[in-house]
Amino acid sequence: DQQVKQNSPSLSVQEGRISILNCDYTNSMFDYFLWYKKYPAEGPTFLISISSIKDKNEDGRFTVFLNKSAKHLSLHIVPSQPGDSAVYFCAATPTSYGKLTFGQGTILTVHP
Amino acid sequence: DSGVTQTPKHLITATGQRVTLRCSPRSGDLSVYWYQQSLDQGLQFLIQYYNGEERAKGNILERFSAQQFPDLHSELNLSSLELGDSALYFCASSATLPGTGELFFGEGSRLTVL
């Protein structure tokens, strides 16, 4: 039972354009949603999060949108840079602390 | 640098063997989590410890066990190893107070079973 799903295994965009990574979830108990970035040979690093009381959270070039009724969230990166090339994981948790349930990840490649 | 330290970084062993992976959480963090990432898979939650006590359990095999010691470091023991146990094993820690749900991950231990 995959409670968090990232249906796109990979995404390729041009430098300067927008990258949109998508994530769907099935567990209505999830209250916090996070995005992590992972480079090869490194551990995942936290990027941005959003709680269920919000529908948008912005941090510089990164914006996360949450649509609770659709159980869908997305990460927008504008403008995309080659250094953004990494695996992006969506994660969710029912509380603000505790274990995270991760999606399968999306490989983002930003071409110069 | 997340502040979470994992050793060893790489480990190669044979089927049927037993290995121990070690994790030191960030200073002050009481919770430790173990995750497994197999090829082309997401991060699968294995187990969580909080201040020495098991707090939550995921899809952890009976051949695997973990513990958290009084100094808060944690060990993940993998026994009777099979080829399918080859994976990246991540440890993470978190702050004790409610926050944004963020976990801080170590760089992982890559286990190869031959």
Side-chain angles (χ1 to χ4, degrees), chain A residues 32-34 36 38 41-46 49 87 89 93 95-105, chain B residues 33 35 37 40-45 48 56 88 90 95-107:
Chain A
Y32 288 84
F33 304 88
L34 302 87
Y36 277 78
K38 186 183 179 303
E42 293 184 11
T45 55
F46 171 73
S49 66
V87 180
F89 290 99
T93 176
T95 61
S96 62
Y97 54 96
K99 74 177 182 75
L100 294 176
T101 299
F102 283 86
Q104 303 295 87
Chain B
Y33 308 76
Y35 282 83
Q37 185 185 19
D40 294 335
Q41 297 290 313
L43 292 149
Q44 301 295 321
F45 171 70
Q48 176 200 356
L88 262 173
F90 287 103
T96 56
L97 298 175
T100 59
E102 181 181 354
L103 300 187
F104 298 87
F105 282 83
E107 294 187 346

Side-chain angles (χ1 to χ4, degrees), chain B residues 15 36-39 61 63-64 80-89 111-114:
Chain B
T15 55
Q36 178 192 55
Q37 185 185 19
S38 302
L39 193 65
L61 299 172
R63 299 183 287 108
F64 295 1
S80 303
L81 286 168
E82 302 175 359
L83 296 178
D85 298 328
S86 294
L88 262 173
Y89 291 85
L111 172 66
T112 303
V113 182
L114 300 176

Side-chain angles (χ1 to χ4, degrees), chain A residues 38-53:
Chain A
K38 186 183 179 303
Y39 292 118
E42 293 184 11
T45 55
F46 171 73
L47 199 54
I48 192 170
S49 66
I50 189 169
S51 76
S52 61
I53 62 173

Side-chain angles (χ1 to χ4, degrees), chain B residues 22-81:
Chain B
R22 184 188 166 103
C23 169
S24 294
R26 290 187 322 157
S27 177
D29 284 355
L30 299 182
S31 276
V32 168
Y33 308 76
W34 286 98
Y35 282 83
Q36 178 192 55
Q37 185 185 19
S38 302
L39 193 65
D40 294 335
Q41 297 290 313
L43 292 149
Q44 301 295 321
F45 171 70
L46 295 178
I47 199 163
Q48 176 200 356
Y49 278 81
Y50 177 81
N51 202 18
E53 300 289 328
E54 182 183 303
R55 175 62 64 93
K57 213 167 185 176
N59 297 326
I60 187 167
L61 299 172
E62 284 191 12
R63 299 183 287 108
F64 295 1
S65 65
Q67 56 183 328
Q68 186 180 25
F69 295 86
D71 67 353
L72 301 178
H73 91 271
S74 177
E75 292 181 355
L76 178 66
N77 301 297
L78 315 174
S79 61
S80 303
L81 286 168

Side-chain angles (χ1 to χ4, degrees), chain A residues 44-93:
Chain A
T45 55
F46 171 73
L47 199 54
I48 192 170
S49 66
I50 189 169
S51 76
S52 61
I53 62 173
K54 295 185 176 182
D55 55 17
K56 176 182 173 182
N57 189 26
E58 200 169 347
D59 184 2
R61 296 185 298 114
F62 303 92
T63 303
V64 56
F65 294 92
L66 175 63
N67 183 333
K68 282 188 67 178
S69 60
K71 292 190 174 66
H72 177 84
L73 64 153
S74 61
L75 174 68
H76 293 210
I77 306 174
V78 184
S80 301
Q81 299 173 354
D84 296 329
S85 298
V87 180
Y88 288 78
F89 290 99
C90 164
T93 176

Side-chain angles (χ1 to χ4, degrees), chain B residues 4-11 20-24 34 73-76 89 91 106-110:
Chain B
V4 178
T5 305
Q6 288 188 248
T7 57
K9 285 192 172 8
H10 301 276
L11 192 54
T20 298
L21 309 179
R22 184 188 166 103
C23 169
S24 294
W34 286 98
H73 91 271
S74 177
E75 292 181 355
L76 178 66
Y89 291 85
C91 170
E107 294 187 346
S109 294
R110 180 174 293 281

